[in-house]
Amino acid sequence: MALNTKPNIADPDRFYQSLIDCHRDLSEDQSQRVNSKLILLLSNHIGDEAVLKEAMAIACAESGA
Amino acid sequence: MLQTYEYPEFPYTQSDEQKNGVVKRHPAIIIGAGPIGLTTALDFAQQGIPVVVLDDNNTVSVGSRAVCYAKRPLEIWDRLGCGQRMIDKGVIWKIGKVFRQDDLVYQFDLLPEEDHKIPAFINLQQYYLEEYMIERCKDFGDRVDLRWKSKVISLRNEADHVVLQVETPDGVYQVEADYVVSCDGANSDTRKMLGLDFEGQFFQDRFLIADVVMKADFPAERWFWFDPPFHPNQSVLLHMQSDNVWRIDFQLGWDSDPEEEKKPEKVIPRLKAMLGEDTEFELEWVSVYQFACRQLNDFRCGRVFFAGDAAHQVSPFGARGANTGVQDIDNLAWKLKLVRDGKAPEALLDSYSEERVFAAADNLKHSTQSTDFITPKSKCSTFFRDAVLALAKEHEFARPLVNSGRLSMPTPYEKSSLNTPDEEAFAGKMQPGTNCADAPIRKDNQEGWFLNQIGERFSVVTFGDAPAIDTLDIDGIPCDILVVGKDFEDSKGRLTERYDGKNGTTYLIRPDQHVAARWRSFDKDKIATALNRATCRL
């Protein structure tokens, strides 16, 4: 299975809003904590290491790292 | 400070060669009489190789130091005749618990499998371990020549021997050896004398070790805390040792002053915060340490072999230091014996480095990963670590991510050039290059253990119908043939289960109790080819 980079979320605006909402009123550190947990939860759900590595590669390339 | 142990003082005696001024060539010289040097002495002696051991001190380890000894090294010491004594004196444990603040977030059991002779782990002060090995050396008489207060000050490889200068209270003398094993620890002078690179990662964090004598009701388990209320924002590790001595290890952080932290007036309040104001205890030993993760690229330099911390250094998380070093020697002794006897080529000695560099790299990887979890190096890394710990209590998926040190397990030589790959499928964890699993057996109406039937020589173990021959000699290398059900009984069926033993299943086992090859039928020619491959004679 390869990383799905085609649109896959039924209601993109609603998803995006809920992502922003869960950081509302949080400090930088609190947001980092939330994001760290989110990444771990979602990574475990995906499980497939090849897919996760593909996602990491794209994320790291775009950050310029 | 209280002393539960009286340190022996071994007598220095001037060697005959120094007295007479005659340069003598020895088959093997071992530098360092710590756990690895002493293991080398015992294994070489048991193989019939006389050894001289040079140590610059004249007592055992000062302080409890290594403490945790794993199943595989204990099996090796059992083969060398001193493992049981260590187990009898040590504290047997297998459960590890990890706490975050006051909450238990993760628990592991190191040996859920029944029917093994040797426990998963024991805790024992290093001075006992060394003392027992030194006493065991005496059983070999003149074959083990322990020379105390003998410091190697120079060393030089020649084509067919090594020349060493040794300093004693009587001055300096010269000595020669066919082979040298350097077991002189992380700061090995031997390594420096040969100008070898020992590069790696240094870690900034300091840790405080306190050995505390107390009557406490903690169980015999490994307890690890992240951010405990009694030592906020740092980690703490607790281990039970013999004689009511407890090892407590406090993470101190980057900017602590080691001399200041060692003072009892500084240590005692830390302990009181942890143990409670009313707990009575006494300090026995205190030390502050830092560590590095690094290894040599080659464990052989001419006729000098490196083993233990002299060859590879890891963080203490996971008890991978001494435990790995003992397995270095298990790998080296039989190879040196065959080469010395002219039965195998020098190339077999290079396989020591091939196999043990591979094992050291595996250890180093585990050790570095644990270190990155316990002492995160960046803010982001700290966030992830804390997220794992926060999720672990409620959510099962996060528990295997908690890394408070993955405890030492043998590294299979899965890619070794000495292995013969499987031709057919086998069930279970064993494969060419893994160390042999133990199992209970019955021999001559007595209960025993499989690992005590093999080792030091090549063995062929075969299941079911007995082959027509009962010994093999392959170009001068003898090989025992053991038939399960005839030479001993598989009393609980564990051997059959662990080796996937069907009628005809045959294993070729190396002298260090590792699988060299296996087949579904007994074939003399295949055994000979595999043995020749395992000794670099192909």
Side-chain angles (χ1 to χ4, degrees):
Chain A
M1 194 182 73
L3 180 71
N4 184 1
T5 56
K6 296 278 183 293
N8 193 35
I9 294 169
D11 189 334
D13 290 345
R14 195 173 56 204
F15 156 73
Y16 196 81
Q17 193 59 47
S18 51
L19 188 60
I20 301 306
D21 283 348
C22 82
H23 288 277
R24 192 182 301 279
D25 302 326
L26 298 188
S27 68
E28 284 292 319
D29 279 7
Q30 286 168 325
S31 272
Q32 275 258 39
R33 263 179 226 129
V34 169
N35 279 343
S36 302
K37 286 186 196 169
L38 262 180
I39 291 169
L40 292 169
L41 284 158
L42 297 173
S43 296
N44 181 66
H45 182 83
I46 294 164
D48 186 329
E49 231 183 294
V51 173
L52 293 169
K53 281 201 172 139
E54 232 187 299
M56 286 180 213
I58 294 173
C60 291
E62 287 179 356
S63 77
Chain B
M1 290 197 205
L2 190 81
Q3 293 294 329
T4 58
Y5 181 79
E6 200 172 314
Y7 287 90
E9 203 171 289
F10 304 117
Y12 162 76
T13 43
Q14 190 180 22
S15 63
D16 285 344
E17 57 205 278
Q18 183 173 23
K19 215 176 288 169
N20 304 331
V22 183
V23 177
K24 213 176 148 190
R25 171 114 26 122
H26 298 274
I29 289 181
I30 298 157
I31 306 174
I36 311 309
L38 292 168
T39 303
T40 317
L42 291 174
D43 213 350
F44 281 26
Q46 196 140 298
Q47 288 280 3
I49 306 170
V51 296
V52 173
V53 184
L54 302 173
D55 192 275
D56 56 6
N57 209 330
N58 68 338
T59 185
V60 290
S61 154
V62 175
S64 62
R65 293 172 67 181
V67 175
C68 301
Y69 299 100
K71 182 168 185 287
R72 183 58 198 154
L74 288 166
E75 286 172 352
I76 295 164
W77 286 320
D78 190 46
R79 176 171 67 70
L80 298 174
C82 51
Q84 196 56 51
R85 199 170 168 200
M86 297 167 182
I87 295 166
D88 291 344
K89 179 70 185 174
V91 174
I92 294 173
W93 66 275
K94 59 176 184 169
I95 303 285
K97 287 180 179 161
V98 180
F99 301 87
R100 174 184 179 244
Q101 292 155 1
D102 279 326
D103 296 328
L104 177 66
V105 292
Y106 178 61
Q107 176 169 340
F108 56 81
D109 185 336
L110 292 165
L111 190 75
E113 222 176 59
E114 291 291 304
D115 296 325
H116 288 261
K117 178 179 181 183
I118 304 294
F121 258 92
I122 65 161
N123 288 346
L124 181 66
Q125 293 90 316
Q126 189 173 322
Y127 38 77
Y128 282 120
L129 187 102
E130 291 181 9
E131 183 191 317
Y132 298 165
M133 283 199 273
I134 289 163
E135 282 181 23
R136 176 66 181 141
C137 283
K138 290 179 190 154
D139 297 338
F140 292 96
D142 293 343
R143 212 182 290 166
V144 180
D145 180 354
L146 289 166
R147 298 188 186 173
W148 306 104
K149 289 190 174 290
S150 298
K151 184 179 167 62
V152 176
I153 54 167
S154 84
L155 163 147
R156 176 177 91 237
N157 260 309
E158 294 290 336
D160 65 347
H161 67 283
V162 183
V163 182
L164 305 95
Q165 302 264 332
V166 182
E167 188 179 53
T168 72
D170 291 304
V172 175
Y173 71 106
Q174 187 166 313
V175 63
E176 296 177 353
D178 292 336
Y179 295 98
V180 167
V181 188
S182 155
C183 309
D184 45 351
N187 296 317
S188 167
D189 284 332
T190 313
R191 205 177 54 221
K192 290 171 199 156
M193 288 172 204
L194 291 170
L196 303 173
D197 274 344
F198 197 50
E199 306 275 313
Q201 196 179 354
F202 283 82
F203 293 87
Q204 298 299 319
D205 269 84
R206 285 201 163 80
F207 291 80
L208 169 77
I209 296 178
D211 270 358
V212 172
V213 190
M214 62 175 175
K215 294 240 191 308
D217 51 9
F218 293 106
E221 298 174 346
R222 176 189 194 263
W223 283 18
F224 192 102
W225 287 266
F226 289 99
D227 188 23
F230 53 85
H231 192 55
N233 300 317
Q234 306 283 13
S235 65
V236 175
L237 175 63
L238 174 73
H239 268 298
M240 186 201 266
Q241 307 180 71
S242 277
D243 306 336
N244 295 316
V245 177
W246 296 77
R247 158 68 65 85
I248 304 168
D249 196 323
F250 294 94
Q251 183 186 6
L252 296 176
W254 288 32
D255 46 10
S256 51
D257 176 345
E259 288 315 309
E260 198 57 32
E261 291 292 346
K262 264 190 271 191
K263 291 180 178 163
E265 60 265 34
K266 191 90 180 163
V267 179
I268 286 166
R270 289 196 192 282
L271 289 165
K272 285 202 159 162
M274 174 178 180
L275 303 168
E277 279 297 322
D278 302 330
T279 304
E280 282 182 39
F281 65 85
E282 291 212 51
L283 273 180
E284 177 156 274
W285 177 64
V286 176
S287 176
V288 172
Y289 67 90
Q290 265 181 310
F291 54 83
C293 291
R294 49 186 179 162
Q295 70 177 95
L296 288 172
N297 296 321
D298 194 341
F299 292 177
R300 180 182 181 195
C301 175
R303 295 191 152 245
V304 181
F305 298 93
F306 290 87
D309 283 3
H312 43 75
Q313 206 189 344
V314 293
S315 77
F317 313 115
R320 290 172 175 274
N323 285 315
T324 318
V326 174
Q327 294 167 79
D328 291 340
I329 300 311
D330 190 33
N331 188 290
L332 178 63
W334 65 274
K335 293 177 177 175
L336 195 75
K337 168 72 174 164
L338 287 176
V339 173
R340 231 179 80 77
D341 290 352
K343 290 179 179 171
E346 282 267 322
L348 185 59
L349 298 176
D350 292 328
S351 77
Y352 163 68
S353 190
E354 178 200 328
E355 294 186 328
R356 295 312 298 169
V357 164
F358 178 77
D362 180 51
N363 266 298
L364 211 95
K365 184 191 75 187
H366 283 292
S367 158
T368 307
Q369 286 169 350
S370 302
T371 308
D372 284 339
F373 195 89
I374 294 164
T375 62
K377 300 296 170 298
S378 68
K379 207 171 164 193
C380 180
S381 177
T382 310
F383 278 118
F384 275 120
R385 195 275 304 272
D386 291 345
V388 167
L389 292 171
L391 290 166
K393 200 186 170 209
E394 294 281 324
H395 304 283
E396 206 182 320
F397 89 89
R399 286 169 208 160
L401 297 172
V402 175
N403 189 343
S404 72
R406 304 273 184 237
L407 284 135
S408 177
M409 298 281 283
T411 303
Y413 308 137
E414 48 194 23
K415 292 177 187 142
S416 171
S417 58
L418 307 188
N419 295 347
T420 297
D422 285 341
E423 294 168 1
E424 285 164 283
F426 285 81
K429 284 182 233 159
M430 309 262 304
Q431 55 170 320
T434 50
N435 64 302
C436 288
D438 203 2
I441 55 125
R442 192 181 304 113
K443 190 181 176 184
D444 306 329
N445 288 321
Q446 294 215 318
E447 304 303 322
W449 296 93
F450 175 64
L451 287 185
N452 294 137
Q453 314 307 311
I454 57 169
E456 271 140 50
R457 285 148 61 96
F458 275 94
S459 311
V460 171
V461 175
T462 185
F463 291 80
D465 302 334
I469 44 170
D470 50 17
T471 56
L472 263 176
D473 186 295
I474 299 160
D475 292 331
I477 300 180
C479 196
D480 300 327
I481 296 177
L482 300 169
V483 182
V484 182
K486 180 173 154 255
D487 292 302
F488 54 81
E489 286 165 63
D490 180 15
S491 48
K492 289 189 170 178
R494 295 293 193 199
L495 199 67
T496 305
E497 179 189 314
R498 288 172 189 164
Y499 288 75
D500 190 18
K502 301 192 168 74
N503 190 20
T505 296
T506 299
Y507 278 73
L508 174 66
I509 296 170
R510 304 179 357 174
D512 56 5
Q513 302 178 330
H514 282 64
V515 178
R518 57 185 179 170
W519 306 271
R520 287 301 186 189
S521 61
F522 184 97
D523 182 324
K524 224 174 84 177
D525 293 335
K526 284 185 178 177
I527 293 169
T529 306
L531 187 140
N532 286 334
R533 182 172 292 119
T535 50
C536 294
R537 301 197 298 180
L538 265 194

